[in-house]
Amino acid sequence: SGTYMKSAITQIERRFDLSSSVVGLIDGSFEMGNLLFLAVVSHFGARLHRPRLIGMGCFLMAIGSALTGLPHFFMRQWYISLSVSHGSKQLLKYDQKHILISTILTLDCVKDTGSSMWIYVFLGNALRGIGETPVTPLGISYIDDFAKAENSAFYIACLQTIMLLGPMFGFLLGSMCAKLYVDIGFVSVDSVTITPQDARWVGAWWLGFFVSSAILVLAGVPFWFLPRSLPIQGEEWNENFNVDQGNKEQSVLPNTHSVKLANISKGFLPSLKRLLCTPAYFLLLCGIVLKFNSFIGLLTFKAKYMEQQFGQSASRTNFLIGVLILPVVAVGIFLGGLLMKRYKLSVVAGAQLSFITSLTAFLLLLFHFSTKCDNVPVAGLTVSYNGTPEISHDEHSLMSQCNQDCACSTSEWDPVCSDSGITYVSPCLAGCTSSTGQGKNMVFHNCSCVSSPSPVEGSRSVFLGQCPRGPGCTRSFTSYMAVSVLSSFINSLGTTPGYMITIRCIKPELKSLALGIQTLVMRTLGGIPAPVYFGALIDSTCLKWGVKGCGHRGACRMYDSNMYRVIFLSLTTCLSGCSYFFIIAVIVLLRKQFRKEEVKALQQTASKQNETELQSPEMCHPD
């Protein structure tokens, strides 16, 4: 359900006519809800029935997912906002001029109140974040408390690997729903004049949230039947122990468990001070925050980047991420853990492996700067009406001598493609005066703005939809995906060793607190702000904004591809690049600490040998 939210970001942005920064805020609401209860659940949850708390969390997540998709049934159908796109009404503007446009805008002013219902998407996502709170801390501690020490790490590694199946199916579900029209079942698909490649296409984003809700309900049921406690592996289970007799608050947990909880609660602030005053941990935390900001920004807007840069549909981008990238990440994480176990890598060796793999993946990602597609030629936006390349953010540039007598609206976005490969924002702005055909097969003729190298019939005609990108763009996209898959695999090899650094660079008694603080800081300084400022910078590259009823700005219809690429990739690489300075410092500190421990161990060994030699019979006096 979490990754489905990521896959549906573009659809939600278009359906509610939001900017990327606002939709980034919606995406960050999960972390907001999660952080509200993370500390409370982590602290008090261990004293309660942990499996049932997880089951309650699953049901709460199910309600949140259902609430996220619910606004669809209380909003007007999407096809009404596309009425300007229908050719018959488009051409009426030449007879009635502003009458049709003003009528449609007036209708939108009355019916556009549903766009504020994105608040329910925000609240539903936040509620899902609250429900997710007990799953990880209580689930991991439940496993760790009852497993053998040598088995616990293996179970957790398997759990983390299997957890990647969720994102994989989430993206596949997003791909399937993005293919379906948003009002499927209520509107005839034949009446829709746009394709999934169109900037106005909205898939059935709501459907996946109800599917996720149903799965979460089913997933929560088994947790209610798990016992509060289990026999500890390797210890004999007392068969005479009767749960029905005596207080159910008693369990087979070690007697020291409640004492540990009391000590931790009393010594929280001193422990926190010790933790943050550990140089290796603090520097590692800084590096992780920067890295996590880069990761969240990339994950949130990666599908959108593939759509805008390479002209791919939302369905195809989600499918490729789910089928190609996530499986190799799962394999990489498993192999990384296997390397740690097979070669018994020390904390320093693990840190070096994590650094090398991460840096190699980072260097590979730099190739993305060269894998690009040029801007689609759009008259008045990326090229002039005579075909000269130029970038314009001014809507007045959409007007030209060839369409000045047509009384066109510059706020529309009904792209049409000419034989010359130039896209026009609307048939009116292309100067068209007649049309033939119906639906998606509609063709507009006698377009005064379309260049005509010869007086051949149809050479001044345009077709519905934006012009497709050339074969060179397809090759660039193939290269982009190849580099993405390879870098994702290499980077994931260092995930498990990198995870172990946090555990081993601090005192054992601070392990739980260290992981909790790391999660808290990552989500506060990374999960919440990253989607917002990434979205705001993406918004700055917009060339053509959509317009809601009453003239309010809606979602972006077209971006400057070159500027989008530079800003998006520069931000992700700069954040990742800066994190390596902190990671290098951590490796240096760990090596020094490791050498000190080696020297200390050698001194202790030598001291014991001396004591043994002094006490041996051969060293005694003959008398």
Side-chain angles (χ1 to χ4, degrees), residues 455-502:
V456 180
E457 181 66 25
S459 60
R460 286 185 179 272
S461 300
V462 292
F463 309 88
L464 274 179
Q466 192 170 302
C467 292
R469 298 174 185 263
C473 189
T474 304
R475 290 192 293 270
S476 294
F477 180 65
T478 303
S479 302
Y480 173 85
M481 287 305 302
V483 173
S484 294
V485 170
L486 182 60
S487 62
S488 298
F489 173 72
I490 295 174
N491 186 63
S492 61
L493 286 172
T495 300
T496 303
Y499 186 78
M500 298 304 295
I501 297 173
T502 306

Side-chain angles (χ1 to χ4, degrees), residues 9-208:
I9 280 292
T10 306
Q11 313 298 313
I12 293 172
E13 178 181 340
R14 294 172 180 172
R15 182 64 184 94
F16 294 91
D17 267 328
L18 303 173
S19 63
S20 294
S21 56
V22 175
V23 86
L25 180 66
I26 293 174
D27 184 69
S29 63
F30 174 84
E31 275 74 20
M32 296 178 193
N34 196 271
L35 291 173
L36 285 175
F37 292 90
L38 182 62
V40 176
V41 170
S42 298
H43 182 68
F44 295 103
R47 304 178 183 182
L48 304 174
H49 198 300
R50 285 176 287 183
R52 288 183 181 174
L53 281 177
I54 294 173
M56 290 172 61
C58 288
F59 294 149
L60 204 59
M61 283 192 286
I63 296 172
S65 290
L67 180 61
T68 303
L70 199 61
H72 167 75
F73 298 99
F74 298 98
M75 296 178 69
R76 60 179 173 83
Q77 292 177 353
W78 182 240
Y79 80 97
I80 294 177
S81 65
L82 300 177
S83 58
V84 181
S85 301
H86 293 208
S88 58
K89 294 184 178 181
Q90 176 77 37
L91 294 178
L92 280 174
K93 281 183 279 188
Y94 293 101
D95 300 325
Q96 302 177 9
K97 299 206 172 175
H98 296 290
I99 297 176
L100 177 69
I101 298 174
S102 61
T103 302
I104 291 172
L105 289 179
T106 302
L107 288 172
D108 281 343
C109 286
V110 175
K111 297 185 178 182
D112 201 38
T113 54
S115 61
S116 62
M117 295 194 75
W118 65 267
I119 296 294
Y120 292 97
V121 180
F122 179 94
L123 294 175
N125 200 38
L127 188 62
R128 191 173 56 82
I130 295 172
E132 194 267 348
T133 304
V135 176
T136 300
L138 301 187
I140 295 295
S141 64
Y142 190 77
I143 293 172
D144 190 57
D145 283 344
F146 303 112
K148 283 184 180 180
E150 60 268 25
N151 291 341
S152 180
F154 175 73
Y155 293 152
I156 293 172
C158 290
L159 186 65
Q160 288 178 331
T161 303
I162 294 171
M163 278 169 61
L164 285 172
L165 292 175
M168 185 175 72
F169 288 119
F171 275 113
L172 292 178
L173 179 62
S175 173
M176 183 191 74
C177 293
K179 285 182 181 179
L180 307 174
Y181 187 62
V182 59
D183 291 312
I184 185 172
F186 300 95
V187 174
S188 173
V189 179
D190 296 332
S191 66
V192 180
T193 60
I194 58 176
T195 64
Q197 283 75 23
D198 195 289
R200 295 162 296 170
W201 175 270
V202 178
W205 62 275
W206 52 273
L207 182 60

Side-chain angles (χ1 to χ4, degrees), residues 150-430:
E150 60 268 25
N151 291 341
S152 180
F154 175 73
Y155 293 152
I156 293 172
C158 290
L159 186 65
Q160 288 178 331
T161 303
I162 294 171
M163 278 169 61
L164 285 172
L165 292 175
M168 185 175 72
F169 288 119
F171 275 113
L172 292 178
L173 179 62
S175 173
M176 183 191 74
C177 293
K179 285 182 181 179
L180 307 174
Y181 187 62
V182 59
D183 291 312
I184 185 172
F186 300 95
V187 174
S188 173
V189 179
D190 296 332
S191 66
V192 180
T193 60
I194 58 176
T195 64
Q197 283 75 23
D198 195 289
R200 295 162 296 170
W201 175 270
V202 178
W205 62 275
W206 52 273
L207 182 60
F209 287 111
F210 287 103
V211 173
S212 298
S213 179
I215 295 174
L216 283 165
V217 170
L218 295 175
V221 171
F223 286 100
W224 289 85
F225 299 96
L226 288 175
R228 176 170 179 168
S229 57
L230 295 170
I232 301 172
Q233 283 187 343
E235 294 186 9
E236 227 175 284
W237 174 258
N238 186 3
E239 295 181 356
N240 297 323
F241 182 78
N242 191 351
V243 179
D244 296 329
Q245 297 176 358
N247 193 346
K248 286 188 179 182
E249 294 296 321
Q250 296 176 351
S251 68
V252 294
L253 283 172
N255 294 330
T256 58
H257 186 65
S258 59
V259 178
K260 287 181 179 179
L261 284 174
N263 292 336
I264 290 173
S265 61
K266 289 179 182 179
F268 175 75
L269 290 178
S271 298
L272 182 62
K273 183 179 179 181
R274 284 177 60 199
L275 189 64
L276 296 179
C277 290
T278 304
Y281 178 79
F282 182 77
L283 291 172
L284 183 63
L285 198 62
C286 293
I288 288 174
V289 167
L290 289 172
K291 194 79 173 175
F292 194 66
N293 270 264
S294 175
F295 171 74
I296 288 295
L298 181 65
L299 181 63
T300 303
F301 294 106
K302 185 178 181 67
K304 181 172 182 175
Y305 176 79
M306 293 162 66
E307 291 177 47
Q308 297 298 326
Q309 183 64 218
F310 302 103
Q312 302 294 315
S313 67
S315 174
R316 181 172 168 78
T317 56
N318 290 325
F319 178 79
L320 292 176
I321 292 173
V323 169
L324 295 181
I325 295 179
L326 291 179
V328 301
V329 170
V331 173
I333 291 175
F334 180 77
L335 291 179
L338 201 62
L339 284 172
M340 287 284 291
K341 183 178 180 180
R342 173 69 177 80
Y343 296 102
K344 299 179 181 179
L345 299 179
S346 65
V347 61
V348 177
Q352 291 172 338
L353 174 62
S354 179
F355 173 74
I356 291 171
T357 54
S358 181
L359 183 61
T360 304
F362 172 77
L363 295 176
L364 280 173
L365 287 177
L366 295 179
F367 285 103
H368 282 168
F369 281 96
S370 60
T371 53
K372 62 178 182 177
C373 294
D374 294 328
N375 281 313
V376 174
V378 179
L381 293 179
T382 59
V383 296
S384 64
Y385 275 85
N386 59 13
T388 306
E390 61 178 25
I391 300 296
S392 175
H393 293 263
D394 188 3
E395 284 196 349
H396 294 294
S397 63
L398 295 174
M399 302 302 297
S400 178
Q401 291 183 351
C402 61
N403 57 30
Q404 61 183 0
D405 297 328
C406 300
C408 302
S409 171
T410 58
S411 62
E412 299 171 14
W413 177 258
D414 294 299
V416 289
C417 178
S418 65
D419 291 334
S420 61
I422 295 179
T423 299
Y424 296 86
V425 172
S426 70
C428 182
L429 288 171

Side-chain angles (χ1 to χ4, degrees), residues 608-621:
K608 288 181 180 179
Q609 287 179 348
N610 290 335
E611 290 178 3
T612 303
E613 289 175 356
L614 289 173
Q615 294 174 2
S616 62
E618 289 80 3
M619 297 298 295
C620 293
H621 194 273

Side-chain angles (χ1 to χ4, degrees), residues 423-454:
T423 299
Y424 296 86
V425 172
S426 70
C428 182
L429 288 171
C432 305
T433 58
S434 63
S435 68
T436 57
Q438 294 292 328
K440 297 176 184 178
N441 299 320
M442 188 172 292
V443 180
F444 300 88
H445 306 288
N446 303 321
C447 306
S448 57
C449 294
V450 177
S451 59
S452 178
S454 62

